[in-house]
Every structure is written in structure tokens, then in C-alpha cells.
């Protein structure tokens, strides 16, 4: 065997090792997440439904989710892919534009700080939908 064959086999073995390791880690994470399942936990399914776990049937791998009050859905246990964490209250403080800003009562922060439109855009604000379509079509032709 020459050096290139040995190198090729080593690279191939490395890729196989990393593939198995990645799969093992994903299975461990899935098992760890499913161990946290229980009634009252808010979850998201692989197809985008959000709900709260009502009951779990271990024998048949089924989970009953309450999607909204009075509406329940039964899904396979593996379809539940994510536990929804409650939003942190500190996230609301990060929404303010400047430190020390306080939203006025009954209003929202930042509405008084609108920027003036750039030059040439004032006429675009007053144009009809037909004029907008014509202008956009003309801009597309000029780009080519």
C-alpha cells in the first residue's frame, strides 16, 4: 500500500467516526428532552403545532396535546421535537432603544422618533399603485 491509499482510508474512517458520533449525540439529546416530558409542559411538534401535554401513553408512544382550550390532538411521541421555554422578562427591557428610555403611558416607544424620508422618496409615497408597478418594472429593466 502506498501513502495515498493509507491517507484515503484514514480520512474515510474519520468521516465514519464523526457520522456515528453525531448520531449518538442527537439520540442522547432526544432522549434527554423526552425525559422532561410530562403533563403541563408546553411543546412544539415537528410540523409546527404548539400545545400543552395532557397525557402520555408510553405503551403506544402517543402524546395527547391540548392545542387550545377544549381542542386536543394525539400525535406520535417522536413528533414532539421541542420544549417551549417561557420568555425571559429581561427581554422586554432590551426592546428600548436607549438606556433609560421609558415608554409613555398609553403609547409605544419609538413612534415619535421617525426618520424623515430620503430625498426622492416623497414622490414615491404619493404615487398610485399603477405608477408604482410601472416604476418597479422600469427599474428591473435598467438593472440588466
Amino acid at each position: 500500500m502506498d501513502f495515498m491509499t493509507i491517507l484515503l482510508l484514514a480520512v474515510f474512517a474519520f468521516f465514519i467516526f464523526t457520522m456515528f458520533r453525531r448520531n449518538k449525540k442527537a439520540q442522547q439529546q432526544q432522549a434527554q428532552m423526552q425525559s422532561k416530558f410530562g403533563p403541563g409542559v408546553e411543546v412544539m411538534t415537528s410540523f409546527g403545532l404548539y400545545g400543552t401535554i395532557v397525557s402520555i401513553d408510553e405503551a403506544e408512544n402517543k402524546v395527547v396535546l391540548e392545542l387550545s382550550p377544549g381542542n386536543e390532538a394525539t400525535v406520535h411521541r417522536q413528533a414532539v421535537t421541542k420544549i417551549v421555554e417561557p420568555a425571559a422578562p429581561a427581554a422586554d427591557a432590551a426592546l428600548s432603544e436607549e438606556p433609560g428610555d421609558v415608554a409613555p403611558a398609553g403609547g409605544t416607544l419609538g413612534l415619535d422618533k421617525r426618520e424623515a424620508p430620503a430625498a426622492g422618496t416623497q414622490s414615491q409615497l404619493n404615487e398610485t399603485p399603477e405608477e408604482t408597478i410601472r416604476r418597479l418594472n422600469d427599474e428591473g429593466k435598467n438593472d440588466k
Side-chain angles (χ1 to χ4, degrees):
M1 282 202 209
D2 62 341
F3 177 72
M4 290 303 285
T5 305
I6 294 172
L7 182 65
L8 182 65
L9 289 174
V11 169
F12 184 67
F14 174 74
F15 283 131
I16 289 176
F17 171 75
T18 56
M19 181 179 64
F20 282 124
R21 186 168 182 220
R22 186 177 319 130
N23 287 342
K24 185 177 179 181
K25 280 187 176 182
Q27 288 174 351
Q28 286 175 346
Q29 287 176 344
Q30 183 75 12
Q32 181 183 12
M33 183 192 61
Q34 287 189 359
S35 69
K36 295 179 183 177
F37 285 177
V41 176
E42 191 171 342
V43 294
M44 183 183 85
T45 63
S46 60
F47 41 92
L49 285 178
Y50 288 88
T52 305
I53 295 176
V54 176
S55 66
I56 300 172
D57 184 2
E58 298 284 342
E60 295 186 26
N61 283 330
K62 291 182 180 181
V63 177
V64 177
L65 298 177
E66 183 178 35
L67 306 176
S68 63
N71 293 322
E72 293 182 348
T74 304
V75 297
H76 193 275
R77 185 180 178 122
Q78 289 180 342
V80 180
T81 57
K82 183 178 178 184
I83 295 176
V84 179
E85 301 293 331
D92 294 336
L95 294 177
S96 69
E97 294 177 8
E98 297 176 7
D101 277 350
V102 178
T108 59
L109 189 62
L111 290 180
D112 297 344
K113 297 180 182 180
R114 293 185 181 150
E115 295 179 13
T121 59
Q122 186 62 34
S123 63
Q124 293 172 359
L125 294 175
N126 296 330
E127 65 188 10
T128 65
E130 292 81 17
E131 292 171 336
T132 303
I133 292 172
R134 191 176 317 116
R135 179 179 51 82
L136 293 173
N137 284 335
D138 291 342
E139 287 176 3
K141 291 176 184 174
N142 294 341
D143 290 340
K144 293 180 182 177

